[in-house]
Amino acid sequence: MSLDMAVNLDALRPGFTDDPYSVLKSLRESGPVHRVETLGVPMWLVTRYPDVRAALDNPLLSSHGSALAEPLRGHPHFASWWFGDLSDHMMNSDEPDHTRLRRAVSSELTPRRIAALRPRVEQLAASLADSFVEAGSCDLIADFAAPLPITVIMELLGVPAVDQENFRYWADVVTGLADGDAASAREETSGYLHDLVTHKRTSGDDDLIGALARATGDAALSDRELASLSFLLLVAGYTTAVDLVGNGALALLRHPEQLELLQRSSSLLPGAIEEFLRFDGPTSHLLRFAAQPLTIGGVQIPAGDVVLLSLASAEHDGNRYPRADQLNIERADRQHLAFGHGIHFCLGAPLARLQGEVAFRTLLDRCAGLALDPAQPLGWRVSLGSRGLRTLPVTFRTKPTMPLDEQATIKVPKPM
């Protein structure tokens, strides 16, 4: 397909975010790779599961934005992520830097550390539910799905309580969960994270940034690398958990027979989490750059070109998943790509799964008759790389629960 025949994939228009799957299905069925243009940038869109999975682990496709992302330089949507002062993180790196950065993080973000967070996550989820269950309605994003992970992340990173209100506001604006000047919020976040890293170098704090700041030898990170890593954990960790809960809840509400099945058998919840990630996962597209000429799906891609890997399309590939467009919480095939594949597989996947499991278990235990509020519209975030809700108004009936005096009351920071 020649460039002048490129498909205009306006992936940031609200209509596409509301329902990308019909557009992607048409492209996927007509061919594995398409020349598209989005945000005025020409790129190659990869649509089918086997090609996307292989591309995620192909060393000829680079993640190193500063080296190969010249077509994106100066573009307001891409420039800050690929060229800004918070861009020196794992998602933007290739070997050998990627292995060095990942090893440093994995040495501290261990399975044991994540598992130890479960009581706190359960405590926060219960406290948040306490704040809205008696009302019989809530915005599931603003009242539950967002404050839960942002609080966990702030405590994991070691953001002091006095700073958490401002920090959450910046995070909400940067990620599109709230309106505001994203460029200013990102600048404020950058300044704060660099100052926080400087403080953690000598504080002795037993949190993730503190531990990484004191690391030596091969695990030692520069101030810029550590601030960039903190930003990556903030943005990726926050939106992934919000979208897992929000998109998963919406999927259940639109498939009431699946919601009823899950309510009858809570043992299906771990599998349901994996199906939510496949069916409408948080990450919809990933950018890569052709370090050398390569072939994907029989299509020749020149060196230096931008490649857009459509996880959203791959996860609905009917040649991989029978009845791929249907939600099936009992689906046996759980080899989805929601957390990536290969060297860039998401280190935070266990934490996202933990928070998703606790969140859904809390909702199932506390809210009966969960349904969309017909009087309130849904609101979507508009993004090329992720797909998630800004608002999800629901109604429900309150289930009996333990006396409130037996539950810890947690004060969760609110955005400004």
Side-chain angles (χ1 to χ4, degrees):
M1 183 178 294
S2 63
L3 180 57
D4 59 356
M5 297 173 61
V7 176
N8 181 13
L9 180 64
D10 188 3
L12 295 191
R13 63 180 175 84
F16 183 87
T17 306
D18 293 348
D19 179 22
Y21 296 107
S22 58
V23 174
L24 293 172
K25 180 179 181 179
S26 176
L27 290 169
R28 184 175 62 249
E29 291 179 348
S30 64
V33 180
H34 295 268
R35 191 64 164 158
V36 301
E37 183 176 290
T38 185
L39 300 173
V41 178
M43 54 186 70
W44 299 94
L45 176 73
V46 185
T47 63
R48 296 178 182 173
Y49 182 97
D51 297 313
V52 171
R53 189 176 190 274
L56 286 168
D57 202 24
N58 190 332
L60 299 183
L61 288 173
S62 172
S63 299
H64 192 1
S66 61
L68 290 165
E70 285 304 318
L72 310 183
R73 186 182 290 275
H75 195 291
H77 181 75
F78 299 112
S80 61
W81 180 258
W82 295 106
F83 300 103
D85 61 351
L86 294 174
S87 62
D88 289 356
H89 49 69
M90 292 177 293
M91 281 187 67
N92 283 359
S93 64
D94 297 325
E95 301 292 12
D97 283 341
H98 176 270
T99 295
R100 177 178 60 84
L101 294 170
R102 188 178 180 94
R103 184 180 293 124
V105 179
S106 60
S107 68
E108 297 296 337
L109 193 62
T110 61
R112 176 177 294 183
R113 188 174 203 141
I114 292 173
L117 293 172
R118 178 178 286 274
R120 176 58 171 158
V121 177
E122 292 174 339
Q123 190 181 42
L124 284 166
S127 178
L128 288 166
D130 289 343
S131 69
F132 61 72
V133 290
E134 296 299 329
S137 65
C138 73
D139 179 347
L140 202 58
I141 303 300
D143 297 328
F144 189 67
L148 176 62
I150 192 59
T151 305
V152 172
I153 289 171
M154 288 190 295
E155 293 179 356
L156 179 65
L157 293 178
V159 177
V162 68
D163 298 330
Q164 290 185 4
E165 186 174 355
N166 282 338
F167 195 82
R168 182 183 170 187
Y169 171 76
W170 297 329
D172 284 348
V173 173
V174 167
T175 58
L177 280 164
D179 292 327
D181 186 336
S184 295
R186 195 180 188 287
E187 185 177 347
E188 294 278 4
T189 305
S190 175
Y192 178 82
L193 287 175
H194 280 90
D195 288 345
L196 186 63
V197 166
T198 299
H199 168 71
K200 296 291 184 181
R201 294 287 188 197
T202 57
S203 69
D205 292 345
D206 186 24
D207 48 57
L208 188 59
I209 299 181
L212 289 169
R214 293 190 301 274
T216 58
D218 292 342
L221 302 178
S222 69
D223 287 358
R224 179 171 170 132
E225 287 173 337
L226 189 46
S228 297
L229 167 65
S230 302
F231 182 68
L232 173 64
L233 293 174
L234 166 64
V235 174
Y238 187 17
T239 56
T240 296
V242 173
D243 297 344
L244 169 54
V245 176
N247 295 6
L250 179 61
L252 285 176
L253 294 171
R254 287 177 167 173
H255 297 79
E257 76 289 349
Q258 295 290 292
L259 175 57
E260 182 180 353
L261 177 62
L262 187 57
Q263 289 170 328
R264 290 200 312 267
S265 181
S266 62
S267 63
L268 295 174
L269 183 55
I273 296 293
E274 302 308 312
E275 177 67 350
F276 300 153
L277 289 164
R278 180 206 69 84
F279 182 75
D280 196 6
T283 303
S284 53
H285 295 86
L286 289 172
L287 283 172
R288 294 290 188 266
F289 311 95
Q292 299 178 34
L294 75 158
T295 301
I296 301 178
V299 176
Q300 297 290 323
I301 297 176
D305 277 14
V306 182
V307 179
L308 186 64
L309 304 179
S310 182
L311 306 188
S313 177
E315 303 287 45
H316 282 245
D317 188 341
N319 290 323
R320 170 69 193 200
Y321 303 103
R323 297 179 293 281
D325 292 331
Q326 297 180 21
L327 182 74
N328 177 10
I329 64 172
E330 296 180 287
R331 190 180 296 276
D333 187 348
R334 300 180 183 178
Q335 298 300 311
H336 58 74
L337 303 174
F339 294 123
H341 172 67
I343 67 169
H344 286 283
F345 184 84
C346 179
L347 272 177
L351 179 57
R353 287 184 168 111
L354 168 62
Q355 292 178 101
E357 179 198 336
V358 170
F360 279 103
R361 198 172 297 281
T362 301
L363 291 174
L364 293 171
D365 288 346
R366 304 291 297 274
C367 301
L370 196 66
L372 289 171
D373 186 344
Q376 302 291 331
L378 299 175
W380 290 94
R381 295 198 320 278
V382 179
S383 173
L384 175 63
S386 63
R387 170 176 160 81
L389 291 155
R390 292 184 69 179
T391 58
L392 179 55
V394 297
T395 61
F396 47 83
R397 301 186 309 278
T398 304
K399 284 186 175 181
T401 187
M402 69 180 69
L404 291 180
D405 59 3
E406 296 181 16
Q407 301 179 19
T409 301
I410 310 299
K411 184 178 181 181
V412 179
K414 300 288 186 180
M416 294 192 302

